[in-house]
Amino acid sequence: NMDEVPEPVCEDRFDAQWEGEWRKHIFVQAMAELRNQVMPETYSAFEMYAVQGRPVKEVAAFLNLSVNSVYVAKNRCIASLKSIVENLESK
């Protein structure tokens, strides 16, 4: 129908940007919360391997951990982050 006015594109772009900023805000808060919940080396292993994308062997050597410990740290932190994010988003 020609009478219908299309939604302005800039509004969608603003919503997407707002959503992106909100996600970033939640992530920063969640990471700070995670840091308080886990051992320092667990947090470091997760941050270096999962967030910064460094090779697992490099992270393990740097932190003097086994490769398996880095994987365990990552899995533990991801599980914790999921629950932290759910809590933050439900507030």
Side-chain angles (χ1 to χ4, degrees), residues 2-20:
M2 297 300 274
D3 296 334
E4 289 178 29
V5 180
E7 284 290 305
V9 175
C10 61
E11 199 172 298
D12 291 345
R13 210 174 291 141
F14 176 79
D15 288 346
Q17 190 172 356
W18 170 257
E19 181 69 23

Side-chain angles (χ1 to χ4, degrees), residues 44-45 48 52 54-65 70:
S44 294
M48 291 173 72
Q52 296 172 5
R54 295 180 188 217
V56 69
K57 286 182 178 173
E58 180 187 305
V59 173
F62 183 77
L63 295 173
N64 203 19
L65 296 170
V70 175

Side-chain angles (χ1 to χ4, degrees), residues 6-70:
E7 284 290 305
V9 175
C10 61
E11 199 172 298
D12 291 345
R13 210 174 291 141
F14 176 79
D15 288 346
Q17 190 172 356
W18 170 257
E19 181 69 23
E21 290 300 317
W22 176 245
R23 289 247 148 248
K24 229 182 288 176
H25 172 73
I26 290 282
F27 181 74
V28 168
Q29 272 194 292
M31 288 293 283
E33 183 69 33
L34 176 69
R35 187 175 218 144
N36 292 330
Q37 288 185 12
V38 298
M39 298 292 287
E41 62 270 12
T42 301
Y43 181 85
S44 294
F46 173 70
E47 186 180 38
M48 291 173 72
Y49 176 57
V51 179
Q52 296 172 5
R54 295 180 188 217
V56 69
K57 286 182 178 173
E58 180 187 305
V59 173
F62 183 77
L63 295 173
N64 203 19
L65 296 170
S66 69
V67 166
N68 190 52
S69 294
V70 175

Side-chain angles (χ1 to χ4, degrees), residues 66-84:
S66 69
V67 166
N68 190 52
S69 294
V70 175
Y71 289 132
V72 169
K74 177 191 151 200
N75 292 338
R76 185 178 300 153
C77 288
I78 286 175
S80 294
L81 268 181
K82 282 180 182 172
S83 69
I84 292 167

